[in-house]
Every structure is written in C-alpha cells, then in structure tokens.
C-alpha cells in the first residue's frame, strides 16, 4: 500500500496485489438515511442506479463493493470534541450537563461507517501498467467518482489514506484496539504502518476465524430476493446487535460492459420465454421470471446498466 495524490492534489491510498495485478482504492462515506422523506430516498436510489450503470464505462474497473459497518461507539471522539470547545467561564449547570452527555451518550449508541472500494485491473492498460501509472490513471477519475456518490445518499465521499486504512484494518482484527487508536490521536503524532495492521495471531476453524481474541463468521447470499426489493431491505441487517461486537454487511458488484449487457439480457429473456412456453401448466415462478426478464431487457435498451451482485 502506497500513498498518491489525485487530480485535485488530495491524498489517497492504493492497495496493490502483485499476484492478480489489481489495484484498489477505498472511499470513506457518511451515509445517513434517518428521518428522510420517501421522495428523497427514491431520488437517492435512482442516482445510485445511475452511478452503478456508469461503472461499466470505467476503463479497467473490474469490481466495486460497498461495506456498512456497525460497532459500539467508543465515545472518545465526542469527549475530545466537548473538551476542546468547552468554555472555562461557562455556568456550572451547563458544564455539568455537557459532562453528563459526554459520558452517558456513547453508552448503547452505534457507530455506523460506510466505505466504497473500487478495484482496477492492470491488464487493461497494457504496456503502461505499473503501480505509479495506475495511480495516475485512477487519480484522474477518482474525484468524479467520489463526487457522484454525493447524490446517492452516501454523503461526502473522501479517499482514505494509508494511515487511515491501516488503523481500520487493525481495529477489525482486534476490536478492543479501537479505544486505544482514538486515544492515540489526542494531540499526539500517531501513525500506524501497513505492516502493523494485521493480526498478531490467527487460527482458522471450520465455521469461524479467530484473530487476536475475536472471532469472525461470514454468511454469504445464496440467492437473490425474488420479490420486490425496497430501500429498507438491509435495515435490520446493518443494525447493531448486542451479541455481535462489530457487524459488516458488504455488497459486491461486477459491472458488465454495454455490449455484454445487451447480449445477456436478450439471452435471459429468451430462456425465460422458452421455459414459460414449455410448461404444460403455467407456473407462477416462470411467469415472474418472464416478466422480470422482459423488464430487464426494456430497461437495458433505454440505457440502464447490468451489474452482477452478491452479499
């Protein structure tokens, strides 16, 4: 992992995998869908679909992922904010109220973070490949991609630096370090290196992964929902649970090129039509599949993109 600068001079970290010749950049977002009118949510969903469709025209982009992580709030950031702005000459009652809020508010509250990861393949650039050249190519398009996320409800999107990514990975391996990391930033020059971000000790099991005193278990989606999918479908999944220290819900996207999209939707439409006509007795599942395939073909013909996804 190395730090580079985008077209506007903002720093961003580039994670390179020499084995697959792929490079990833992480965007930190501030998504918040609480107390939002349904009309605004519909607008966000429409712009999110437009943003995903635009990924098909990104040269070299092979995948994108969105991660929503929920964890108990350590309260350190709130304490630093209050202590840094409190007035010594303030009334005693006001100071007492602030002190009570500072210590009681973090109890039971959740810290929700959202990140978007974009992965590019070096093979798309031929002889111009290389970490520095890939960083230059990605840096020119990164401000536009980050700016487009602002209309999707993701809030301000900013590229994460190498130090921020190292801290994030270290806390993921050992959640108890989160409080220490927040305290280390209190007026100190603290920087965690990438080679210090991994687990000190780890052990794999059949149904879990143990690392630094914590256990990780992963569930993956086996089939997409067959009914209508509303904007609140993941609300319960991303909500904080008392028996889980940190929860992370990740959606993986692999966009198809426009030519592949047209070919795939037409093939799916023909397959669904063939199954519906072959059955002697019409089945509800075949009818639903045919309507969905027909709708996908019409939307693709009017400019919509086609993206593979999993959760």
């Amino acid at each position: 992992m190395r730090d580079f600068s985008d077209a506007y001079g903002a720093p961003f970290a580039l994670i390179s995998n020499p084995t697959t010749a792929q490079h990833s950049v992480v965007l930190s977002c501030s998504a918040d869908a609480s107390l939002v009118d349904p009309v605004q949510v519909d607008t966000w969903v429409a712009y999110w679909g437009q943003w995903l469709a635009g990924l098909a025209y990104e040269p070299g982009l092979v995948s994108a992922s969105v991660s929503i992580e929920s964890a108990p709030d350590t309260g350190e950031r709130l304490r630093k904010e209050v202590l840094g702005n409190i007035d010594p000459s303030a009334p005693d009652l006001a100071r007492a109220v602030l002190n009570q809020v500072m210590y009681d508010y973090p109890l039971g509250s959740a810290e929700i973070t959202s990140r978007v990861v974009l992965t590019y393949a070096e093979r798309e650039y031929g002889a111009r490949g290389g970490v520095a050249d890939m960083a230059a190519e990605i840096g020119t398009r990164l401000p536009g991609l980050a700016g487009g996320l602002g209309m999707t409800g993701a809030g301000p999107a900013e590229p994460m630096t190498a130090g921020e990514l190292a801290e994030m990975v270290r806390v993921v391996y050992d959640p108890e370090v989160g409080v220490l990391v927040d305290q280390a930033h209190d007026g100190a020059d603290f920087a965690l290196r990438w080679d210090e971000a991994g687990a000190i000790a780890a052990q794999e099991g059949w149904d879990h992964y143990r690392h630094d005193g914590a256990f990780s278990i992963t569930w993956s989606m086996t089939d997409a929902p067959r009914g209508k999918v509303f904007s609140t479908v993941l609300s319960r999944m991303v909500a904080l649970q008392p028996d889980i220290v940190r929860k992370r819900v990740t959606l993986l996207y692999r966009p198809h090129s426009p030519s592949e999209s047209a070919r795939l939707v037409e093939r799916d439409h023909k397959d669904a039509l063939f199954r519906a006509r072959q059955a002697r007795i019409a089945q509800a599942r075949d009818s639903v599949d045919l309507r969905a395939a027909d709708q996908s073909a019409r939307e693709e013909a009017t400019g919509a993109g086609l993206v593979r996804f999993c959760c």
Side-chain angles (χ1 to χ4, degrees):
M1 183 173 63
R2 295 171 55 187
D3 264 330
F4 294 94
S5 299
D6 61 13
Y8 291 164
F12 72 93
L14 190 67
I15 303 175
S16 302
N17 188 341
T19 303
T20 60
Q22 293 181 347
H23 309 270
S24 300
V25 61
V26 184
L27 300 173
S28 177
C29 306
S30 302
D32 187 8
S34 59
L35 303 177
V36 179
D37 294 333
V39 177
Q40 182 62 56
V41 174
D42 294 339
T43 303
W44 285 345
V45 172
Y47 275 105
W48 174 246
Q50 183 179 355
W51 190 83
L52 287 178
L55 295 181
Y57 300 93
E58 278 294 308
L61 184 71
V62 293
S63 69
S65 67
V66 179
S67 295
I68 307 296
E69 185 177 18
S70 57
D73 194 351
T74 61
E76 291 297 328
R77 292 180 299 175
L78 177 62
R79 294 188 184 98
K80 288 188 293 186
E81 184 69 19
V82 172
L83 294 177
N85 293 278
I86 195 169
D87 189 355
S89 61
D92 294 338
L93 178 59
R95 294 170 59 89
V97 171
L98 284 177
N99 288 330
Q100 184 177 359
V101 170
M102 182 173 56
Y103 289 101
D104 294 345
Y105 182 80
L107 298 178
S109 61
E111 179 184 359
I112 308 296
T113 57
S114 52
R115 304 178 184 92
V116 177
V117 182
L118 302 173
T119 302
Y120 292 82
E122 188 176 319
R123 65 177 182 272
E124 300 293 336
Y125 296 95
R128 293 185 300 163
V131 178
D133 292 336
M134 287 297 300
E137 294 283 351
I138 296 174
T140 56
R141 294 190 296 272
L142 199 56
L145 292 170
L149 286 172
M151 299 296 295
T152 65
E158 298 180 356
M160 298 185 66
T161 62
E164 294 172 344
L165 280 176
E167 294 176 8
M168 179 199 70
V169 174
R170 186 69 194 96
V171 174
V172 166
Y173 277 111
D174 191 355
E176 296 182 357
V177 179
V179 179
L180 301 178
V181 171
D182 289 341
Q183 293 176 350
H185 288 285
D186 190 9
D189 187 9
F190 172 76
L192 191 65
R193 300 195 309 270
W194 183 243
D195 56 356
E196 299 173 336
I200 298 176
Q203 183 178 4
E204 297 182 9
W206 284 107
D207 57 352
H208 67 274
Y209 179 62
R210 183 177 182 180
H211 46 84
D212 290 356
F215 294 85
S216 292
I217 302 175
T218 302
W219 288 270
S220 61
M221 183 184 69
T222 58
D223 193 10
R226 304 194 64 85
K228 292 184 178 180
V229 179
F230 296 95
S231 59
T232 58
V233 66
L234 296 177
S235 298
R236 294 182 61 186
M237 290 184 62
V238 301
L240 187 65
Q241 292 181 235
D243 56 341
I244 299 179
V245 179
R246 303 184 78 90
K247 181 194 293 184
R248 191 178 304 105
V249 179
T250 301
L251 295 173
L252 303 176
Y253 299 96
R254 291 184 180 270
H256 289 286
S257 64
S259 59
E260 290 179 343
S261 300
R263 177 175 55 84
L264 290 174
V265 296
E266 291 299 333
R267 185 195 65 184
D268 293 343
H269 183 265
K270 292 180 181 178
D271 293 343
L273 184 62
F274 177 78
R275 289 194 301 268
R277 290 179 176 178
Q278 286 295 108
R280 295 183 179 180
I281 301 177
Q283 297 182 2
R285 182 180 293 264
D286 294 335
S287 300
V288 171
D289 291 342
L290 180 58
R291 288 197 299 269
D294 184 63
Q295 181 178 356
S296 298
R298 291 199 306 269
E299 292 179 354
E300 191 279 332
T302 56
L306 188 65
V307 181
R308 288 176 291 172
F309 76 97
C310 65
C311 179

